[in-house]
Amino acid sequence: MISSQQHDLILKNLGVTSLNPMQEAAQKAILQDNDTFLIAPTGSGKTLGFLLPVLQLLKPDRNVVQCLVLAPTRELALQIEQVWKNMGTGYKVNVCYGGHAMETEIKNLSNPPALLIGTPGRISDHIDRKTLSLEGIQTLVLDEFDKSLELGFQDEMAFIISRLSNLKKRVLVSATSGIKIPDFVRLNAPTTLNFTREDDTPTGLTIKVVYSEEKDKIDTLFRLLCSLNSEAALIFCNHREAAERTSALLNERGIYATFYHGGMEQADRERALILFRNGSVTYLVTTDLAARGLDIPEMKHVIHYHLPLQAHEFVHRNGRTARMHRTGGPASGTAYVILHQDEPRPAYLDKSLEIVELPTDMILPRPPEFITLYISGGKKNKLNKIDIVGFLSQKGQLDKGDLGLIEVKDFSSFAAVKKDKVATLLERIKDQKMKGKKYKIEVAR
């Protein structure tokens, strides 16, 4: 168990004043002897809900992997890793996923982390290669378990669980209730905590309908974005090609957007999220991949360019706005549904929703204030945020307000810089070294 002082320090590190009711219930249940099935909506703080009790189950004198967390997507795995690091636990963590250098992962696993996070496919790969010892794993967390089933990871999860011979505790985490738990999970008399229902909507959420006269809704979307006071929005499409096309058409009209979907290379996906997070683009056009498990800011606006087939996916998309704060109270936000006049209206869409009449005079959203710079070095090159801030401030002569969000990856970094400062900055630093080494620094493409 951790002390109350350590508990308070972890919450302080995360910027959290207190646990919400779901997190308190999860902590109590997971620390008991039986298994746990936690069901809670997107944005409710489930990650901390299971990581805090997992920390209390770890033993500092054991140099083995003690807990395995399986996540359906790379983005969610990386987000869980980041929350753990922000907690400041003192325990080593590693993350394994497709698209990450296998050599780096094998080297990391040679000195086992107490907490290992990974996608089912990559963890299965390590088991096949015998590069991962499973003997010490006593706790298994299946995060976004419903999403893992949807994405078809049953075989990989069944294979992994069958190899965990010393497993004592299973924790299933889901944003959807009513899912059938397969036999291969081997849940033992679980404590079920259900903090959501499929028909729930956050109390701060407003859903509005925008009608499109044309079947191609791009003009309606453009006009809607022009009415949102230049505030960022998440735009959902049903297909990858539609996300790319919609993003391209918006950019042609002077709106700064980028796209995000599962068919992109991992580096391109990460870059799209970085540009969106740091305000270098205002609109992210995406598939349901961004409906949950992504580290992006809370949105005031979610737009359904296409409606999903399933009601629960509609709920998850809307969970990106009016999210439940860690202290328990929901914020406010609006979800806009763009419908063509003749488009079939799904049963889950309330017939009495407010209809938005878009203004005829359109003012383009303001362009982003920031541009993202790419730096060809990261954590493995011994660079950190402080190094980058110091270099750009001293050698590049930037003031504090000229720098935005900085993100440091393993072998690269990204820094948001005020648009009007970029040209002179790049000229000033083109021959300069950072920590004694010359790095390539350019506008991120």
Side-chain angles (χ1 to χ4, degrees):
M1 298 295 285
I2 60 174
S3 66
S4 59
Q5 188 177 5
Q6 189 180 0
H7 179 278
D8 292 344
L9 180 60
I10 288 168
L11 296 191
K12 184 180 178 183
N13 289 341
L14 295 170
V16 178
T17 53
S18 62
L19 298 180
N20 64 36
M22 178 275 294
Q23 292 164 336
E24 289 179 345
Q27 181 170 224
K28 182 179 177 183
I30 293 169
L31 290 175
Q32 292 174 351
D33 289 336
N34 47 332
D35 296 340
T36 303
F37 184 23
L38 172 62
I39 309 159
T42 300
S44 57
K46 294 191 294 293
T47 304
L48 180 58
F50 66 77
L51 285 182
L52 199 52
V54 159
L55 168 61
Q56 298 179 67
L57 295 168
L58 299 181
K59 295 179 173 59
D61 56 348
R62 301 186 68 216
N63 187 31
V64 292
V65 179
Q66 299 180 53
C67 175
L68 173 64
V69 179
L70 292 180
T73 64
R74 307 159 185 175
E75 288 78 12
L76 180 57
L78 288 164
Q79 185 177 329
I80 298 166
E81 178 199 33
Q82 193 57 55
V83 173
W84 182 264
K85 286 182 174 179
N86 291 344
M87 288 167 66
T89 66
Y91 284 98
K92 184 184 178 188
V93 62
N94 285 129
V95 62
C96 299
Y97 54 88
H100 196 215
M102 179 59 80
E103 297 78 11
T104 301
E105 292 184 358
I106 292 171
K107 185 178 178 182
N108 288 336
L109 292 171
S110 66
N111 177 23
L115 176 68
L116 178 62
I117 305 159
T119 52
R122 182 50 70 98
I123 296 297
S124 297
D125 197 353
H126 278 292
I127 294 173
D128 281 335
R129 291 168 181 256
K130 297 182 169 55
T131 49
L132 168 61
S133 173
L134 306 174
E135 297 302 311
I137 298 176
Q138 297 186 346
T139 304
L140 171 69
V141 179
L142 302 176
D143 194 15
E144 297 281 15
F145 181 65
D146 52 328
K147 191 68 175 177
S148 293
L149 295 177
E150 280 179 31
L151 293 175
F153 289 129
Q154 286 89 333
D155 290 347
E156 290 89 344
M157 289 191 293
F159 170 68
I160 294 166
I161 293 171
S162 72
R163 297 299 186 94
L164 300 177
S165 56
N166 294 321
L167 201 58
K168 293 182 178 178
K169 190 180 296 289
R170 295 164 176 81
V171 179
L172 266 66
V173 184
S174 171
T176 306
S177 59
I179 62 170
K180 185 178 185 301
I181 300 173
D183 292 339
F184 67 74
V185 179
R186 301 177 192 171
L187 269 196
N188 179 29
T191 299
T192 300
L193 304 173
N194 192 345
F195 283 83
T196 186
R197 296 194 315 272
E198 283 304 315
D199 59 349
D200 275 350
T201 54
T203 55
L205 175 67
T206 303
I207 303 176
K208 300 180 179 182
V209 173
V210 184
Y211 280 107
S212 171
E213 293 182 8
E214 305 293 329
K215 282 193 175 179
D216 189 337
K217 304 172 182 176
I218 192 68
D219 284 335
T220 305
L221 175 61
F222 174 73
R223 290 170 58 206
L224 174 59
L225 294 179
C226 288
S227 73
L228 298 183
N229 300 317
S230 302
E231 293 170 338
L234 208 52
I235 302 163
F236 282 101
C237 297
N238 284 350
H239 304 289
R240 297 169 177 179
E241 297 79 9
E244 292 192 23
R245 173 183 177 271
T246 303
S247 174
L249 290 172
L250 289 175
N251 278 284
E252 285 175 14
R253 295 172 183 230
I255 285 183
Y256 289 76
T258 193
F259 59 85
Y260 176 86
H261 60 68
M264 300 163 65
E265 293 291 329
Q266 174 64 13
D268 294 332
R269 279 159 65 172
E270 285 189 1
R271 197 162 300 197
L273 292 181
I274 287 166
L275 294 176
F276 185 58
R277 272 197 295 262
N278 70 23
S280 293
V281 295
T282 314
Y283 307 101
L284 187 68
V285 189
T286 180
T287 59
D288 282 328
L289 183 63
R292 45 186 168 159
L294 283 195
D295 181 17
I296 56 177
E298 182 175 314
M299 308 305 304
K300 284 183 69 174
H301 309 288
V302 165
I303 299 170
H304 302 270
Y305 190 70
H306 299 136
L307 278 169
L309 297 176
Q310 304 295 330
H312 68 267
E313 287 302 341
F314 185 67
V315 172
H316 293 317
R317 289 180 179 186
N318 292 338
R320 283 293 167 193
T321 187
R323 295 170 74 174
M324 185 189 298
H325 287 170
R326 289 191 176 100
T327 51
S332 60
T334 305
Y336 298 90
V337 176
I338 302 180
L339 286 176
H340 179 249
Q341 304 282 1
D342 301 329
E343 187 176 346
R345 194 180 182 112
Y348 62 75
L349 207 60
D350 195 309
K351 289 184 172 61
S352 63
L353 294 177
E354 178 186 340
I355 298 171
V356 176
E357 298 292 342
L358 296 176
T360 51
D361 54 327
M362 287 174 286
I363 301 172
L364 267 177
R366 290 186 302 276
E369 289 184 53
F370 289 95
I371 284 180
T372 300
L373 294 186
Y374 161 81
I375 302 166
S376 65
K379 296 172 190 171
K380 301 294 184 183
N381 309 99
K382 302 292 191 287
L383 285 185
N384 58 38
K385 288 183 183 179
I386 295 171
D387 298 324
I388 295 168
V389 170
F391 176 75
L392 295 178
S393 301
Q394 293 162 25
K395 304 289 187 183
Q397 298 176 34
L398 291 184
D399 294 328
K400 187 177 180 182
D402 297 332
L403 264 176
L405 189 67
I406 294 174
E407 298 196 35
V408 183
K409 305 297 182 184
D410 281 349
F411 297 102
S412 61
S413 302
F414 299 87
V417 176
K418 281 282 181 70
K419 186 179 290 187
D420 58 352
K421 302 287 183 178
V422 170
T424 51
L425 168 72
L426 292 177
E427 184 62 31
R428 283 174 182 145
I429 64 174
K430 66 180 181 182
D431 297 318
Q432 300 292 336
K433 293 181 178 180
M434 182 164 26
K435 293 186 78 173
K437 184 176 178 182
K438 183 92 165 54
Y439 290 99
K440 183 179 184 180
I441 301 177
E442 61 186 13
V443 174
R445 305 295 174 197

